[in-house]
Amino acid sequence: MTRFLHWSMALGLGAQIALGLSMTHAGLTDTQAYRAFQVHRALGVTLGILAMLRVLWRLGHRLPYPHRSQSRLVAGLARGGHALLYSGQILLPLTGYGLACAAGPDMPLSMFGLFDWPLLSFSPGETGVIILTAAHRWGAWVFALLIAGHAAAALCHAALAHDDVWKRMGPSFPCRSRSRR
């Protein structure tokens, strides 16, 4: 379950980053930008739910011990990095949801065209929207950097350290064919 949640989040977050960048920097038409925006919002809700499931799962299951080759400093940095990653997985969907609520009922939060996600009725005012927008945008950039650092550390484990960290959390492919005797 840990791997499934991890890699589901990784794929979803990769899509969110791509959507976010395309919405703001790709010069999309208004129609394309609106569609990307709607998918970004629905995926954000989905990832927020997955993040909460990850937190609940983590509360019920111990963290794996740091690899024996890791120094206390590296193990501490890893724990801190993971705490920041979990924080981003919770805070970004919350700020995005806050923005969706602030937009009001004129812009429903459609869940991939299947149903509308309920919005809270509140108005943070113009200043609140500016703060939520800045928190969401800058938080996304910081989160993307954290993800890049996390990926770099994982690749270092796989390519340089040759320890079992990659084997513990790397993607597994259960449908791989196995030779039979």
Side-chain angles (χ1 to χ4, degrees), residues 144-162:
L145 290 173
L146 285 168
I147 291 170
H150 181 70
L155 291 174
C156 284
H157 280 290
L160 302 176
H162 302 291

Side-chain angles (χ1 to χ4, degrees), residues 29-181:
T29 67
D30 288 345
T31 303
Q32 292 169 327
Y34 181 78
R35 286 183 184 147
F37 182 67
Q38 292 300 342
V39 172
H40 183 79
R41 289 166 38 128
L43 189 54
V45 169
T46 304
L47 291 172
I49 292 167
L50 274 177
M52 288 185 245
L53 287 173
R54 286 191 81 187
V55 169
L56 291 173
W57 178 262
R58 179 54 55 214
L59 291 174
H61 297 81
R62 285 191 343 212
L63 285 169
Y65 291 106
H67 193 270
R68 63 187 168 278
S69 67
Q70 288 182 337
S71 68
R72 290 182 95 143
L73 174 65
V74 170
L77 288 172
R79 278 192 306 278
H82 284 106
L84 290 172
L85 286 166
Y86 273 98
S87 297
Q89 290 173 56
I90 298 294
L91 293 175
L92 283 170
L94 286 177
T95 57
Y97 181 68
L99 288 167
C101 291
D106 292 339
M107 184 174 281
L109 201 166
S110 173
M111 293 300 292
F112 307 106
L114 300 173
F115 61 94
D116 288 345
W117 190 263
L119 297 172
L120 300 175
S121 178
F122 83 100
S123 176
E126 188 176 332
T127 304
V129 169
I130 290 169
I131 291 169
L132 280 171
T133 301
H136 193 71
R137 284 189 180 155
W138 286 103
W141 282 107
V142 169
F143 192 55
L145 290 173
L146 285 168
I147 291 170
H150 181 70
L155 291 174
C156 284
H157 280 290
L160 302 176
H162 302 291
D163 55 26
D164 68 345
V165 173
W166 182 258
K167 289 178 187 162
R168 290 193 306 201
M169 279 310 292
S172 61
F173 302 99
C175 58
R176 222 176 6 199
S177 63
R178 294 184 179 159
S179 60
R180 297 179 189 221
R181 292 182 190 204

